[in-house]
Amino acid sequence: MDLSVIAILAAGTMAVLAVGMALVLGWANVAFHVEVDPRIEAAIDILPAANCGGCGYVGCNEYAEAVVLNGEDVTKCTVGGSAVAADLGQLLGVEVEETWPYRAVVHCGATYEDRLGRMPYNGEPTCAAANVISGIQGCTYGCLGFGDCVTACDYDAIHVVDGVAVVDYDKCTGCGACARVCPRNIITMVPFKSEHMLVVTCCNEDKGKDVTAVCKVGCIGCSACTRVDDRFHMEGNLAQISYEDYDPSTLEDSFAPALDKCPRESLVFVGKPTEADLANLADVEVPDRVEADFKTTVDDTEWRG
Amino acid sequence: MEYIGELILIAVSAALINNFVLHYFLGICPFIGVSRKLDMAFGMGCAVTFVLAIASFLSWTFTYFILRPGAPLTTWIWQAASPGTEVVPDLSILNYLVYIFVIASSVQFVEMYVRKFYPALYKSFGVFLPLITTNCAILFACLEIMKNVSGAAPADVWGLDKSLTLAIFGGVGFTIAIMLMAGIREELDLCDVPKAMRGAGITLVAAGILAMAFLGFTGVDRSLAALLMD
């Protein structure tokens, strides 16, 4: 068969196909056009597209739809914070109240040394599995230290240090993934009115005697703090801070009496270090350079048959 | 009986024995990518089956009438344009181009249609459609059909029935494979996998073991053929 015959037929076929498909798709684009509210697309552009689910919706797109169509609250995006809320409010003409970014707070401050009654545990190294077994450690409220929250965190913002989960507030976006995954529910989302917050790092609701039996630092419910400061109240045998009355401007020094009174170490400031903290550290000698500590992953893997 | 037997043989062969994923290693990207949750895997499997059916219908039609050597439509047009010349037009060089072109645009069309008239369906599986337009599994089905239409002896040329059987049951085989994988991965989430193997590593190992298990179906087609063709 002649080459020119192939060329003519092939070119003709492709030309007919191209024109035909272009017509069909062009017609379909008009005929099957779906009206999408332009505000939804604008809202999707405003949202951070992290798709973390912190707002309670499946992803940013669903939240954008809910905000525009169902009048959902514009302040739910924990990752975007007040900036996104303001933009969304402007888009929809909604007044936005001042909101505080929510950050994860671990209500347990007991390291391995502080916890009493710990037992050897050779099971599945996840909190969810260990939580099912009673008696792994004396305290049935506190952190288990297997790091389910570390696995859940998409932002590398929480780590287990000395057996207790510690939040890195430089990285925390407040999506709440760690709080949802913690089987003991010791992580709560707290409105951070300043970068430096006082929190109660204990969630043991037992009587003081039982707490001292299992922990060196847990809250014993003595209510000493509530007597010197109105911003504390007792819930059962556990001190709580009323964050409604929490005023960041008068913060640092006004808590001093309560901190003095607390016989345990359950009242702890978390968040970014203050200037005072940095000044205290100024005298401490810091090594110039930190050498990387090379280890193979095999070293920390526990092999079991 | 022989006709039905042939169809059954093609179906079983496409779904189990020569499973697209586990025998030919086709469509691995959706197989690894969307096999994290069972319901997502099922949606993906349905979408692949659907696109395979459309693709096989179109590729068979185009191959049979236009592209194969001596295809009726092309011959007729050539005879009409220049009567009296004795040529057997062969447009096989266009195969790949036409398949990708036609399948991509028709899937696009179907996606628009479903989005307009079946929003619920679109939500559950429409999002997968653009992901799998002419991926390797779909192009493989087209080429398999091409092999049996333009390459076969005139008596053995596949009809639309066999092509559709191959494609749909190939899709069923894909759905089986991806759902098995999703089930395994949901269980794997609860397991203590060594650090070095986590994620893609253990998934590929599991896929390999699954492929070896499917190797057990080899030879079933021969005994099945003996059973059905008697």
Side-chain angles (χ1 to χ4, degrees):
Chain A
M1 188 167 134
D2 202 354
L3 196 65
S4 60
V5 177
I6 300 183
I8 293 167
L9 277 175
T13 313
M14 289 315 290
V16 170
L17 267 180
V19 172
M21 284 301 171
L23 282 178
V24 169
L25 284 184
W27 170 76
N29 195 23
V30 179
F32 300 155
H33 184 65
V34 181
E35 283 294 334
V36 179
D37 194 330
R39 289 181 304 168
I40 293 179
E41 278 166 18
I44 291 172
D45 285 344
I46 290 172
L47 290 170
N51 290 320
C52 64
C55 51
Y57 289 88
V58 175
C60 291
N61 292 7
E62 284 216 353
Y63 177 56
E65 259 185 60
V67 164
V68 175
L69 301 180
N70 308 335
E72 177 60 90
D73 195 1
V74 293
T75 58
K76 289 241 169 125
C77 182
T78 53
V79 177
S82 55
V84 162
D87 284 353
L88 280 178
Q90 202 181 10
L91 175 74
L92 301 169
V94 184
E95 287 286 320
V96 185
E97 288 173 26
E98 194 177 9
T99 57
W100 306 107
Y102 278 73
R103 293 288 179 262
V105 167
V106 181
H107 291 279
C108 179
T111 58
Y112 281 139
E113 289 78 51
D114 302 324
R115 293 184 218 161
L116 307 171
R118 281 178 59 76
M119 293 290 175
Y121 170 74
N122 288 323
E124 192 76 13
T126 63
C127 304
N131 189 36
V132 179
I133 299 163
S134 66
I136 168 171
Q137 65 188 28
C139 181
T140 53
Y141 298 88
C143 185
L144 289 158
F146 290 111
D148 282 14
C149 45
V150 180
T151 320
C153 184
D154 285 338
Y155 304 94
D156 191 33
I158 190 163
H159 298 98
V160 174
V161 180
D162 278 341
V164 60
V166 176
V167 180
D168 180 347
Y169 289 97
D170 282 335
K171 292 179 182 165
C172 182
T173 61
C175 70
C178 50
R180 283 193 294 276
V181 81
C182 180
R184 294 195 153 181
N185 296 319
I186 64 170
I187 304 177
T188 57
M189 307 307 291
V190 168
F192 261 46
K193 295 191 176 178
S194 71
E195 289 190 334
H196 199 223
M197 294 285 294
L198 189 71
V199 296
V200 180
T201 55
C202 183
C203 53
N204 194 320
E205 293 169 5
D206 288 344
K207 291 222 159 60
K209 187 162 173 288
D210 300 328
V211 177
T212 46
V214 296
C215 186
K216 291 183 188 168
V217 295
C219 175
I220 51 173
C222 64
S223 72
C225 46
T226 58
R227 282 195 289 277
V228 295
D229 199 321
D230 293 343
R231 289 167 292 190
F232 291 94
H233 64 274
M234 301 300 291
E235 277 181 19
N237 289 309
L238 192 58
Q240 298 283 349
I241 301 173
S242 312
Y243 286 104
E244 291 85 41
D245 309 329
Y246 198 102
D247 185 1
S249 56
T250 62
L251 172 72
E252 295 297 327
D253 306 322
S254 66
F255 276 115
L259 288 175
D260 276 348
K261 281 284 178 192
C262 184
R264 311 285 278 179
E265 293 159 27
S266 291
L267 296 176
V268 173
F269 277 106
V270 298
K272 294 196 176 136
T274 59
E275 281 169 20
D277 292 342
L278 291 176
N280 289 342
L281 278 175
D283 301 336
V284 181
E285 266 186 45
V286 180
D288 291 341
R289 193 171 150 208
V290 180
E291 290 289 338
D293 180 14
F294 286 111
K295 272 200 290 187
T296 63
T297 50
V298 177
D299 292 345
D300 350 296
T301 311
E302 291 172 39
W303 296 89
R304 282 184 296 281
Chain B
M1 188 59 206
E2 195 172 323
Y3 170 70
I4 304 234
E6 261 180 60
L7 286 190
I8 292 177
L9 209 55
I10 291 175
V12 173
S13 166
L16 294 176
I17 302 157
N18 297 329
N19 189 295
F20 282 15
V21 177
L22 298 172
H23 183 90
Y24 288 116
F25 302 112
L26 297 161
I28 294 293
C29 357
F31 178 67
I32 299 293
V34 200
S35 59
R36 206 153 287 173
K37 290 262 152 55
L38 258 180
D39 48 345
M40 291 281 276
F42 184 69
M44 191 70 193
C46 290
V48 168
T49 311
F50 177 73
V51 175
L52 270 171
I54 293 185
S56 69
F57 171 74
L58 288 170
S59 66
W60 182 84
T61 315
F62 276 84
T63 317
Y64 191 86
F65 289 109
I66 298 175
L67 299 174
R68 72 185 170 127
L73 195 62
T74 324
T75 315
W76 182 77
I77 289 174
W78 186 251
Q79 297 295 345
S82 57
T85 45
E86 283 300 315
V87 285
V88 181
D90 178 9
L91 287 182
S92 304
I93 49 160
L94 287 183
N95 278 341
Y96 289 74
L97 209 58
V98 168
Y99 294 157
I100 292 174
F101 189 86
V102 170
I103 295 163
S105 32
S106 58
V107 168
Q108 182 69 43
F109 179 82
V110 170
E111 195 203 336
M112 284 188 210
Y113 182 82
V114 171
R115 191 173 180 197
K116 174 80 179 174
F117 294 106
Y118 305 98
L121 193 65
Y122 179 76
K123 255 198 167 165
S124 61
F125 95 147
V127 284
F128 298 120
L129 284 179
L131 296 178
I132 47 173
T133 313
T134 58
N135 78 358
C136 45
I138 283 143
L139 198 60
F140 169 79
C142 294
L143 295 180
E144 193 76 354
I145 290 164
M146 178 198 89
K147 202 172 77 189
N148 284 298
V149 172
S150 62
D156 297 336
V157 169
W158 273 18
L160 186 56
D161 45 359
K162 284 184 186 171
S163 308
L164 277 178
T165 311
L166 172 89
I168 290 170
F169 281 90
V172 169
F174 181 88
T175 313
I176 292 172
I178 197 173
M179 286 188 71
L180 281 175
M181 197 63 209
I184 291 172
R185 284 183 78 173
E186 282 189 356
E187 295 290 319
L188 270 180
D189 283 348
L190 303 173
C191 291
D192 179 21
V193 180
K195 246 183 204 164
M197 298 277 285
R198 274 178 205 169
I202 193 73
T203 311
L204 288 173
V205 170
I209 295 171
L210 205 56
M212 281 200 276
F214 266 65
L215 213 60
F217 285 114
T218 318
V220 172
D221 50 346
R222 225 165 295 155
S223 37
L224 199 65
L227 196 72
L228 290 168
M229 299 302 174
D230 275 345

